[in-house]
Amino acid sequence: MPLKVNYGVDYNDDYNVYEDDNYHYDDLYEYENEKRDITHQTKAKQEVIRTGAWRCPICTYDNEDSMSECDICGALRNCLVKISQTGDSTAGGGRCKSSGASVMVKSLFASFRHRAPAKSVAFEAKNDAVLIEDAFIIRRNFQEFLRAFSSQKHQNINIAPFKFDSPSPDDLVSTRLHSSKLDSKANFKRLSSLDMSTREREKNILIESELGTEGPNSSSASVARDGGVKERDFASDCGIKPEILVSRMRSVSLSSKSRTGNVNEETGTSNLEYKPEAWMIPDQAEDRLSQLNLAIVGHVDSGKSTLSGRLLHLLGRISQKEMHRHEKEAKQQGKGSFAYAWALDESAEERERGITMTVAVAFFNSRKYHVVLLDSPGHRDFVPNMISGATQADAAILVVDASMGSFEAGLDPIGGQTREHALLIRSFGVDQIIVVVNKMDVVEYSQERFEMVKQKLGTFLRSCGFKDSSVLWVPASSMENQNLVATPDERLFSWFHGPCLLDAIDSLQLPARDYSKPLLMPICDIIKSQSQGQVSTCGKLVTGAIRTGSKVLIMPSREVATIRSLERDSQACKIARSGDNVTVNLQGIENNHVTAGGVLCHPDFPVRVSNHLELKILVLDIKIPILSGSQLELHIHHAKEAATVVKILSLLDPKTGKVTKKSPRCILAKQNAVVEVVLQGSVCVEEYAESRALGRVSLRSSGRTVALGLVTQIMKTQ
């Protein structure tokens, strides 16, 4: 059997609670009576006020008679005069017999001129019952006491303040707030003698000044607004000259900016002021040709690549041996007329299809310029590549096919690339253009055909924004080498006496270069070298300058790299400036951090990155209107992103630019409007007013350019 365990009282004990026969209930009543009598006596003794002490009315603690406030809760002693048990009306608690004022109050106003009050008020304290019954009399007497005291006219006040070992916070606040009334300059001189180093005091002053500039939420700003405290007064009171204070405030603000960083992560802007170095400005004594970036654009099969190859061959950039090899290869494939074009179209796919697919870059020197030739594709499927390359252009050559039907196809509103290329070139900021009417040999150098092309195309170019003085017309034949680098023969010279193509290029004006701004170089293309462990970027320097060994910031990855070497025209160089088309070899950065469409910029002045833009656009000839929610393709410098029109803000007058209608439902052809677009991915962008190269955009849809625009505002990234 299991053992039994007791979990409570052991009832087997000998003690029995009912066996105490001597217990009487009458004793309980007697004990309670005695306890009640003792309690009454104790309360009676506690109610008796001890002689020489006073009881706090708040916490009922008995304090010594010499104390003016409670030792426990700090409550002030009763203002009434305490009457001793002998009945003599004496001063209680250090109070004046005549007025009831304390010794402290008397000492504070000891320097006042003693004048008899209008009525001397004297009152005596009575027992509690009389005080309760005569409460209104005491109140009236106290009011008379206040009126009598306030009736004195205080003039020439010179209060001798108490001197403590260290000022309290209340003294500091009161001194600050009433310095203009109490002439507390002496108090501030005493404050300057505190146990605080001069550097710490100045730091506190500067911190207070910085907080005062933060706005209405600043505590120091509120003190200056309410109390009239000024930083100049505070600086003078603390023994600091205002000039020294201002200089130290500037140094602290600059150091705080350097500690927090120079780059605004949201906007990408910098707080520093850029100053170009001496080597960035080109020397006028340098014997070096200025670089001119020249884009060759036009309708497909208008002879752009053939014209470029023939021009390079005539100027000695393509050797006779290379030209012979191209002719042989072209004849083997039954495309003998493409021999000059193959000097630029080097890929197998381009040669097989007979069209240019990417932008080919070549170089030659004229008498005035070092020309960078940008041969752009003319097929409508490769217009994005044409946009990416032609954005680097300073001027353009528009090649037109003079043969019957080809010119008209190029000007067709639906698929004519002559129209689209002219609009895109103008939207890139190019205002100088050379129109080469090519293949004049096909029309037997007809002057009538040339004049007809000039009249029709000239009207369209004027509508695009080109001025007549900025457009040069050159009839030529690239296959027969007519009017390219020399005077043509009698067939063309008999009626045309203008310049040849090379002279027309020399007549172009070089646009202004901006060397005083920070570095900006949109990345057109990248070349990755796995063996050497470096990345090469190609592009045109929009602003600024770079040299070997410089640090650059890659956007939008925000990675810093070092320039290992520079190449211009496939030749090494040490310095590249604004306007140069160069290849930059980088080191110290991974390949995936550099992409085409990015930007090389100064480490302290990064370009802004966003996917939410406000654009002012010009809609071209479209059949489907642009609505809120329309899906488009946005091109900006060398970047391309899918875009959505989220809001149509207003329609603009094309002549004045003023708002004609707010929040329209749609945008039709030939209308100007302001819209908000959200991109699928972020791009490197600047407002047009800050950087024209990074502030121009084009919108495309279904393989056609539907609108051209400018970035008017960069909004918060979504």
Side-chain angles (χ1 to χ4, degrees):
M1 294 179 65
L3 296 177
K4 294 184 179 180
V5 180
N6 296 326
Y7 290 97
V9 180
D10 189 1
Y11 295 99
N12 295 325
D13 295 341
D14 296 336
Y15 178 75
N16 191 349
V17 294
Y18 299 101
E19 292 180 355
D20 192 1
D21 297 334
N22 296 327
Y23 182 80
H24 301 283
Y25 289 96
D26 295 338
D27 295 339
L28 178 60
Y29 293 109
E30 293 177 1
Y31 172 76
E32 291 179 356
N33 293 333
E34 292 177 0
K35 186 176 180 180
R36 188 180 300 109
D37 295 339
I38 293 173
T39 302
H40 287 301
Q41 292 176 6
T42 304
K43 290 183 178 180
K45 290 180 181 180
Q46 291 178 354
E47 291 176 357
V48 178
I49 301 176
R50 293 184 301 167
T51 304
W54 61 278
R55 177 168 297 174
C56 176
I58 303 301
C59 65
T60 67
Y61 178 76
D62 292 337
N63 299 276
E64 296 295 334
D65 199 14
S66 60
M67 300 177 63
S68 61
E69 61 182 12
C70 180
D71 192 21
I72 300 299
C73 64
L76 296 177
R77 189 176 180 180
N78 195 346
C79 62
L80 296 178
V81 180
K82 184 177 182 297
I83 307 299
S84 62
Q85 293 180 357
T86 57
D88 296 334
S89 177
T90 60
R95 297 182 181 273
C96 179
K97 293 181 181 181
S98 60
S99 63
S102 64
V103 179
M104 182 179 293
V105 175
K106 184 177 180 181
S107 64
L108 286 174
F109 297 95
S111 59
F112 284 36
R113 275 189 278 179
H114 295 284
R115 297 181 58 185
K119 181 177 180 181
S120 179
V121 180
F123 53 92
E124 297 181 355
K126 302 178 182 181
N127 55 34
D128 296 341
V130 177
L131 286 176
I132 295 175
E133 294 175 359
D134 300 339
F136 69 96
I137 300 176
I138 296 175
R139 189 181 302 108
R140 183 184 61 187
N141 293 338
F142 187 73
Q143 293 175 358
E144 291 177 358
F145 167 74
L146 293 177
R147 286 197 300 270
F149 180 76
S150 61
S151 63
Q152 299 180 5
K153 297 180 180 180
H154 308 294
Q155 298 178 357
N156 299 327
I157 299 175
N158 186 14
I159 301 175
F162 288 100
K163 296 182 179 181
F164 300 97
D165 294 337
S166 61
S168 65
D170 294 338
D171 294 335
L172 294 176
V173 174
S174 61
T175 307
R176 289 274 289 171
L177 293 178
H178 302 286
S179 59
S180 60
K181 296 182 180 180
L182 301 180
D183 192 17
S184 60
K185 190 171 291 184
N187 295 337
F188 278 106
K189 290 181 179 180
R190 285 195 299 273
L191 293 178
S192 62
S193 64
L194 298 176
D195 188 12
M196 180 188 296
S197 63
T198 306
R199 185 173 299 177
E200 291 178 352
R201 291 201 307 271
E202 294 174 359
K203 184 178 179 180
N204 293 337
I205 296 169
L206 297 177
I207 291 174
E208 182 181 6
S209 303
E210 292 289 337
L211 291 175
T213 60
E214 291 180 0
N217 295 330
S218 175
S219 59
S220 60
S222 61
V223 171
R225 187 168 56 251
D226 299 334
V229 180
K230 297 182 179 179
E231 295 172 358
R232 182 182 296 272
D233 299 337
F234 190 41
S236 61
D237 294 337
C238 293
I240 303 174
K241 295 182 180 181
E243 295 81 2
I244 300 176
L245 178 63
V246 172
S247 63
R248 287 173 180 171
M249 286 177 63
R250 290 176 180 174
S251 63
V252 168
S253 62
L254 288 177
S255 62
S256 63
K257 289 178 182 178
S258 63
R259 286 193 302 269
T260 56
N262 300 325
V263 179
N264 190 329
E265 293 295 337
E266 181 69 26
T267 64
T269 57
S270 175
N271 296 326
L272 300 178
E273 181 179 358
Y274 179 77
K275 293 182 180 179
E277 301 180 21
W279 61 270
M280 297 181 178
I281 308 300
D283 190 1
Q284 298 295 335
E286 285 187 20
D287 188 12
R288 175 171 170 261
L289 294 175
S290 301
Q291 179 169 313
L292 177 68
N293 299 290
L294 192 62
I296 298 183
V297 297
H299 191 65
V300 62
D301 293 334
S302 60
K304 300 183 296 299
S305 297
T306 302
L307 176 66
S308 302
R310 186 78 174 194
L311 190 62
L312 293 173
H313 174 63
L314 294 174
L315 295 175
R317 301 298 296 186
I318 301 177
S319 64
Q320 186 64 33
K321 182 179 180 180
E322 292 177 345
M323 198 65 235
H324 180 70
R325 178 170 55 86
H326 294 323
E327 291 177 354
K328 183 179 179 181
E329 292 176 354
K331 289 181 179 179
Q332 289 178 355
Q333 296 187 13
K335 299 179 180 180
S337 61
F338 286 84
Y340 290 102
W342 282 12
L344 296 174
D345 299 338
E346 297 179 349
S347 67
E349 187 177 1
E350 287 179 327
R351 293 184 176 185
E352 182 180 355
R353 297 182 61 177
I355 58 176
T356 303
M357 301 172 62
T358 59
V359 177
V361 182
F363 313 93
F364 68 88
N365 293 334
S366 66
R367 290 187 297 269
K368 188 177 179 181
Y369 297 118
H370 172 72
V371 181
V372 178
L373 208 60
L374 304 170
D375 184 21
S376 305
H379 198 278
R380 58 178 300 176
D381 294 341
F382 306 105
V383 172
N385 295 340
M386 173 266 173
I387 294 174
S388 177
T391 51
Q392 309 174 51
D394 300 321
I397 295 177
L398 179 62
V399 182
V400 179
D401 190 350
S403 59
M404 293 295 180
S406 298
F407 169 72
E408 288 76 10
L411 280 183
D412 185 63
I414 298 177
Q417 296 305 301
T418 301
R419 298 173 61 93
E420 186 171 3
H421 285 202
L423 287 169
L424 290 173
I425 282 292
R426 187 65 187 95
S427 69
F428 298 153
V430 175
D431 54 1
Q432 301 178 90
I433 189 171
I434 299 174
V435 180
V436 176
V437 183
N438 195 22
K439 300 183 180 182
M440 287 295 295
D441 56 311
V442 178
V443 295
E444 299 179 354
Y445 301 98
S446 171
Q447 181 180 2
E448 291 77 8
R449 181 64 176 173
F450 175 77
E451 294 295 337
M452 188 271 295
V453 171
K454 182 178 179 180
Q455 188 271 331
K456 289 187 176 180
L457 186 57
T459 302
F460 174 74
L461 293 178
R462 282 191 292 270
S463 66
C464 295
F466 290 99
K467 297 180 181 179
D468 292 340
S469 59
S470 300
V471 180
L472 297 176
W473 300 86
V474 178
S477 174
S478 57
M479 289 299 297
E480 296 185 359
N481 187 19
Q482 291 294 318
N483 208 24
L484 296 182
V485 297
T487 303
D489 57 16
E490 189 64 25
R491 293 175 296 177
L492 189 60
F493 187 73
S494 61
W495 55 269
F496 179 77
H497 303 283
C500 64
L501 178 59
L502 189 61
D503 294 338
I505 293 175
D506 283 333
S507 66
L508 297 173
Q509 299 297 321
L510 194 68
R513 306 300 189 189
D514 198 346
Y515 308 104
S516 60
K517 289 185 178 181
L519 169 67
L520 280 180
M521 192 191 95
I523 301 175
C524 176
D525 195 9
I526 58 173
I527 303 172
K528 300 179 181 180
S529 176
Q530 300 292 342
S531 59
Q532 298 180 1
Q534 68 179 18
V535 184
S536 300
T537 61
C538 305
K540 172 190 172 185
L541 271 71
V542 177
T543 57
I546 54 176
R547 63 180 175 181
T548 304
S550 302
K551 298 286 186 180
V552 292
L553 180 66
I554 313 297
M555 297 294 287
S557 62
R558 298 186 180 274
E559 296 290 334
V560 179
T562 305
I563 298 177
R564 182 176 181 179
S565 60
L566 296 173
E567 294 182 10
R568 185 193 302 115
D569 306 345
S570 301
Q571 296 180 357
C573 62
K574 294 183 178 180
I575 299 176
R577 298 183 177 92
S578 175
D580 292 344
N581 197 300
V582 295
T583 300
V584 182
N585 300 318
L586 303 174
Q587 66 179 5
I589 188 171
E590 297 182 2
N591 296 342
N592 55 353
H593 291 158
V594 185
T595 57
V599 176
L600 267 65
C601 53
H602 195 283
D604 295 333
F605 300 88
V607 69
R608 302 176 69 178
V609 178
S610 179
N611 69 341
H612 190 190
L613 308 175
E614 181 184 280
L615 309 176
K616 182 168 68 173
I617 62 173
L618 167 64
V619 181
L620 305 180
D621 293 327
I622 58 175
K623 295 182 178 180
I624 302 176
I626 298 177
L627 306 173
S628 179
S630 298
Q631 303 292 323
L632 303 174
E633 189 179 66
L634 183 138
H635 294 259
I636 178 169
H637 51 89
H638 305 294
K640 177 179 66 174
E641 284 292 340
T644 304
V645 180
V646 295
K647 189 175 182 181
I648 302 177
L649 299 177
S650 60
L651 294 178
L652 304 178
D653 188 294
K655 295 183 179 179
T656 62
K658 296 182 179 180
V659 177
T660 58
K661 185 178 181 180
K662 294 183 178 180
S663 301
R665 296 183 59 185
C666 62
I667 310 175
L668 305 178
K670 302 294 184 179
Q671 286 187 337
N672 292 18
V674 179
V675 298
E676 287 185 16
V677 296
V678 174
L679 310 182
Q680 186 175 356
S682 299
V683 295
C684 298
V685 61
E686 289 287 351
E687 295 180 2
Y688 180 77
E690 299 294 333
S691 175
R692 294 187 177 184
L694 272 67
R696 296 187 178 99
V697 300
S698 58
L699 300 175
R700 292 176 55 82
S701 177
S702 301
R704 293 186 56 194
T705 302
V706 297
L708 306 172
L710 308 173
V711 179
T712 57
Q713 184 179 356
I714 301 175
M715 312 186 75
K716 188 176 181 180
T717 302
Q718 291 188 358

